[in-house]
Amino acid sequence: MTIRVALQHHTTYRFDRPVKVFPHVVRLRPAPHVRTPIHQYSLKVDADPHFLNWQQDPFGNYLARLVFPEPLESLTLQVDLVAELASVNPFDFFLEESAEHYPFAYEPLLRKDLAPYLECLPAGPLLRDWLNGLDRGEQRVIDLLVALNQRVQQDVAYTVRMEPGVQSCEETLDKALGSCRDSAWLMVQILRHLGLAARFVSGYLVQLAPDVKSLDGPSGPEEDFTDLHAW
């Protein structure tokens, strides 16, 4: 069974005087390779005059480049989209035989393509200690990924953080606290230090209130809820 949800993203900037607004690059359109089908999408820009050109970056993401030739007193961006949500099996994928067990080596051409997703930042003392505590012996890759997710979830509590930017791995481990983007970036760096290609993904978290209350556990959110999310 699938559910279609309508989502609206609204951002407005207001200035106390006409100001020169430099070109903007807006990343608010789902990538073409996403698993969730997008049935409708529109981007409305309330700024007169403006010029919009759609581009794609080297990773296939859609970019809306906006140019504003005249000073503006306000700028409004509104995204409307309709997405189809369905329950999926997260383990429904295929692994090459050569990558079923850790450790393994990417074949040279593939490793060249994956180079951006293998780039590591220098590990600080806290991250080094965290990595040193891992079992790096031969094991199923799926088991390793599940264990890493479980340990990050246990070691880093979740918080809503309104400040811009992403915490460093050292800051997240020191505080044992972070937002979704902080835990995601920590996980990316952990995987890369283990030689596994990983990338950071952003999008929308959509949680719908259930039609029927659960009889044997939490029922979930009381109201439909949508927010920006990273993983």
Side-chain angles (χ1 to χ4, degrees), residues 38-60:
I38 305 300
H39 294 281
Q40 297 178 33
Y41 175 88
S42 67
L43 170 63
K44 179 182 178 182
V45 181
D46 188 2
D48 189 27
H50 72 273
F51 300 98
L52 185 155
N53 292 100
W54 282 104
Q55 303 171 327
Q56 281 187 288
D57 67 13
F59 307 107

Side-chain angles (χ1 to χ4, degrees), residues 148-212:
L148 292 174
N149 274 277
Q150 289 175 336
R151 184 171 170 191
V152 169
Q153 191 273 335
Q154 292 167 2
D155 291 352
V156 181
Y158 174 74
T159 185
V160 175
R161 197 166 63 79
M162 303 305 293
E163 298 85 1
V166 181
Q167 293 179 173
S168 68
C169 296
E170 292 296 289
E171 187 176 0
T172 298
L173 290 173
D174 181 53
K175 293 180 176 178
L177 183 70
S179 65
C180 55
R181 63 187 184 275
D182 302 318
S183 294
W185 183 241
L186 172 62
M187 188 66 174
V188 165
Q189 288 300 310
I190 289 169
L191 291 169
R192 292 182 182 180
H193 277 280
L194 294 176
L196 300 174
R199 65 180 179 178
F200 185 95
V201 181
S202 62
Y204 295 102
L205 170 66
V206 179
Q207 298 185 79
L208 303 178
D211 295 328
V212 180

